[in-house]
Amino acid sequence: MDIEYRKDIDGLRALAIIPVIFFHMHLSAFSGGFIGVDVFFAISGFLITSIIIKKMNTSTFSFKDFYARRFRRLAPAALIIYLTTLLTFFFIYPPPYYQSVSKAALSSLTFVSNIYFWKQGGYFSSDLSLNPFLHTWSLSIEEQYYLAFPLFMLITLTLFREKLAQLLIFIIVSLFSIYLAIHYTPSYRSFAAFYLLPPRFYELCIGGIAAIYIHYYPQSRYRSLPYLKEVGMALIAIPIFAFNSNTKFPSYNALFPVIGASLIMFSSNERSVVNLLLKSKLLTFIGIISYSLYLWHWPIIVFSNWIYSTNAWPKTLLILSATFIFSWLSYKYIETPFRKKEIISNTQFKKIFIPAFAAVALLSTGGIIYGNAFYSDPTGAVVAKYEKAIHPEIRRDCTDRTRNTGKLHICSLKIPYGSNPSKKIFVWGDSHGSAAMTGFSELASKYKIDFANTTGCPPIIDIRRNDWRQSCVRVNNMVFHYILKNHYDLIILFGAFDNYLDWGVIESNKSNFYRNPSKSEIDFSAAANSTFEKLTTNNTKFLIMAQPPRFNRRVPDQYIHNAMLGIPYDGETISRKEYDKQLSPFYEAIGKRWGAHILSLENYFCDKETCVSIKKGQILFKDNHHISNFMALQMVNLITPAVEKVISIQRK
């Protein structure tokens, strides 16, 4: 007993997949195209709930049959694409990248890629954009949902016979899930709300609520209310163009596309303009192949971005053409026959599935253990240079400790045996301070060096981030009070000051704006002056490290990319004028009064015309603005005379 086929839902699938593809292709108009995934969640919740409640209420539901049908629906196309992707990237990716690809493939094969990527970092980060299996996080969420939801439905329908009680259970569970999504979004420490099922469950549940209501009240007058589909379409369309990677998500913002999709599926208005659009041949065709489109589009985009770095329109056309061709072939020759027992019997299915599953498992496991270095980097020279550049700084484990624990943690560099320094230096910074610590280890025999570095938080009191909930004010106040009490001989402040000001992401406690560079500069100037005044009043000497140049691309990644493709690479560069422009808001905010406290290495990075990221064959950056350990050592050697000069001046 299957539910009735609805063409409009296939049209809705098309409206989900198109913005996802365009978003992943970096078409700027579709800055919120990622919400297409949330539309898919609502559709899955609606359809799966419709199937299960109908069969459970007629005592025809079979767990075995349900899982078998899901397996036939999802596994064949996925396995073919996983195999193709693993084999393709074996020949073009460097060993560290291929190992990550293999880990992602294995996690996807076992339905936990969302957990794997949750542990790796944010969905929008450039690190993960190189992984052709990144998009499988949402498939793992759905697969986990398929595994758990039938049991949830069985318990709900068994314990609560009343129709309204069943709806109420879904509403309560949805509200709890929404609470989790809001509470954990955004968070620099964890992307749990984005990647994990519990904070996403409400998106599937809301589709389920629509399905339950329709099951019990199919002729309800509410379903024929005018403009339900139009409102639903607006709730989907507006976020596609209004949201972006800075939008708090999923949080409550995912409610817009989810409710929008649910309203469209809930409505029975056949005369709606939206209904006619969704039932059009083009949209229903795209919707029918949407699963294959979702599987193919991201590996094709990652492959093309790796081979062709430019974003010209022929590349866009090539990506779209390849995606649709492969998806149509996949749908016709893999999805369709494998769904039908009359074409491929259960016995035949097992004979094909088991070897395919084993091949993906063996390839991905081999990629994790052995990698592809014997093919892509036989001597290991390329990887060695790359890993030297990105190698974590010493005491990286100490970064963010105060924020993560909620208690003040002051860390110290190890004093070499036989040394007994009498002078004390405190390094206070964000991730730029953390990146510098390897260099400061060279001074540990001369000075006792303590430090506290908190990612994303400039070392200035009473300044908070307006784009992430990072507890900057609380953490910095704890650190600052410790500094004032302990009378250090010198405080050195490190921060990505140019980034914060250029992006407009910092504000005072009393402000309330979002990403406004001019307002950020005003608030930062006041807070910096207050911080420096208090240090001066406390007779605490301090130096401020100006931010190094910020480049457009990640230097080590671009190095290893070019090395794999045999393309010469001299590093990223920007003009001296561009670097001066980056520094300008910081210098203006600090003002002339504190200018003498600023340490800058601009003459090391730049000549009169150009600023470089590789010098004498050494990579100076971990990414596009954090210095490498090599550069950290150079930096400390360069600033040591200034440090010694300040410390040598006797405290008043």
Side-chain angles (χ1 to χ4, degrees), residues 558-609:
Q558 200 59 35
Y559 158 74
I560 202 168
H561 166 269
N562 283 29
M564 289 297 103
L565 299 180
I567 302 171
Y569 183 63
D570 296 322
E572 302 300 301
T573 61
I574 59 171
S575 68
R576 181 69 179 255
K577 287 184 178 179
E578 174 60 25
Y579 184 35
D580 290 341
K581 184 180 177 182
Q582 291 178 8
L583 288 170
S584 178
F586 168 66
Y587 281 122
E588 290 177 9
I590 295 299
K592 292 182 179 179
R593 180 182 176 188
W594 309 109
H597 294 262
I598 296 174
L599 293 172
S600 176
L601 298 181
E602 53 191 282
N603 290 330
Y604 180 84
F605 291 112
C606 314
D607 57 24
K608 292 182 179 180
E609 300 293 331

Side-chain angles (χ1 to χ4, degrees), residues 180-399:
L180 293 177
I182 294 172
H183 181 72
Y184 289 105
T185 307
S187 170
Y188 192 86
R189 286 176 287 168
S190 172
F191 297 91
F194 193 94
Y195 282 118
L196 301 186
L197 177 59
R200 290 282 191 171
F201 192 61
Y202 78 88
E203 302 182 37
L204 296 134
C205 258
I206 289 174
I209 290 170
I212 293 172
Y213 190 92
I214 291 173
H215 175 75
Y216 288 127
Y217 310 102
Q219 304 303 320
S220 170
R221 60 188 177 89
Y222 296 115
R223 295 190 64 205
S224 59
L225 288 173
Y227 306 118
L228 280 182
K229 288 185 184 289
E230 284 76 10
V231 171
M233 177 66 81
L235 289 173
I236 294 171
I238 292 172
I240 289 173
F241 306 106
F243 287 2
N244 56 48
S245 59
N246 298 313
T247 303
K248 294 179 179 180
F249 210 84
S251 188
Y252 51 82
N253 285 308
L255 284 168
F256 293 101
V258 168
I259 291 175
S262 299
L263 285 176
I264 289 173
M265 294 183 290
F266 178 78
S267 174
S268 61
N269 186 355
E270 294 291 324
R271 297 180 181 179
S272 164
V273 175
V274 170
N275 195 60
L276 296 175
L277 174 67
L278 294 176
K279 289 185 174 182
S280 65
K281 288 184 178 180
L282 177 61
L283 288 188
T284 52
F285 168 73
I286 294 173
I288 286 169
I289 66 169
S290 61
Y291 177 57
S292 282
L293 283 170
Y294 189 79
L295 285 171
W296 277 111
H297 84 281
W298 183 242
I300 289 172
I301 288 172
V302 174
F303 173 83
S304 63
N305 287 342
W306 183 258
I307 301 298
Y308 308 105
S309 57
T310 57
N311 286 320
W313 66 264
K315 175 183 170 184
T316 300
L317 277 179
L318 184 64
I319 290 172
L320 285 174
S321 300
T323 298
F324 273 88
I325 290 170
F326 280 107
S327 299
W328 179 78
L329 291 171
S330 177
Y331 171 77
K332 184 171 183 179
Y333 296 108
I334 301 172
E335 282 192 66
T336 301
F338 274 93
R339 284 187 200 178
K340 300 176 180 178
K341 290 182 181 179
E342 57 270 25
I343 298 177
I344 296 177
S345 66
N346 287 336
T347 302
Q348 291 172 317
F349 182 86
K350 290 176 183 177
K351 288 181 179 179
I352 298 170
F353 168 77
I354 292 173
F357 183 91
V360 175
L362 288 172
L363 269 176
S364 54
T365 303
I368 294 168
I369 298 172
Y370 302 107
N372 64 340
F374 63 90
Y375 172 81
S376 61
D377 185 26
T379 66
V382 172
V383 171
K385 186 172 181 178
Y386 169 80
E387 291 185 339
K388 180 183 177 183
I390 67 166
H391 194 274
E393 60 273 13
I394 63 169
R395 298 306 309 275
R396 182 67 181 85
D397 61 306
C398 207
T399 302

Side-chain angles (χ1 to χ4, degrees), residues 458 463-466 500-501 504-508 513 520 523-524:
I463 276 288
R464 66 186 179 192
R465 292 288 293 268
N466 58 42
Y500 301 132
L501 294 170
V505 297
I506 51 177
E507 65 184 13
S508 72
F513 58 84
S520 275
D523 282 6
F524 176 80

